[in-house]
Amino acid sequence: MAGKIDETLLEIIHQLDSRQHDFFIHIDLKAGLIDEQRIEKVVNFSSVVFIDRMNGTWGGFSLVQIELRLLRTLDCIIKVTTQKM
């Protein structure tokens, strides 16, 4: 989860980029329009999945909802991947 795409986020993703890491990213809806390509440009090996955006309120239930969206997306990808094996 991130409030916006900034240099700190890009640097963290760049440093963690590897074939063993995938990124499931939620950018808060309050950030306005975002350029997903900024993240995709710093990634060479990892897969990047952007989660449907919503407003997150620190300390609010919306953060739990965002985490659940992230986990559901990951669960769906795992199911599809294991079915192909």
Side-chain angles (χ1 to χ4, degrees), residues 35-48:
D35 183 5
E36 294 177 358
Q37 290 182 348
R38 284 185 69 197
I39 291 177
E40 292 167 352
K41 286 179 185 175
V42 300
V43 173
N44 295 309
F45 304 107
S46 301
S47 295
V48 177

Side-chain angles (χ1 to χ4, degrees), residues 5 9 14-15 20 28 34 44 58 78 80-83:
I5 298 175
L9 177 63
H14 176 72
Q15 292 294 325
Q20 289 80 31
D28 198 293
I34 61 168
N44 295 309
W58 286 111
I78 290 171
V80 168
T81 303
T82 55
Q83 288 176 354

Side-chain angles (χ1 to χ4, degrees), residues 2 10 20 23-24 26 28 35 37 39 46 49 52 54 68:
L10 295 174
Q20 289 80 31
F23 297 100
F24 295 81
H26 174 273
D28 198 293
D35 183 5
Q37 290 182 348
I39 291 177
S46 301
V49 178
D52 290 338
M54 63 180 284
L68 289 172

Side-chain angles (χ1 to χ4, degrees), residues 48-74:
V48 177
V49 178
F50 289 92
I51 306 303
D52 290 338
R53 298 170 64 200
M54 63 180 284
N55 285 321
T57 304
W58 286 111
F61 185 68
S62 59
L63 295 184
V64 174
Q65 292 172 309
I66 293 167
E67 289 290 342
L68 289 172
R69 283 185 183 191
L70 289 162
L71 291 170
R72 280 190 210 106
T73 302
L74 177 60

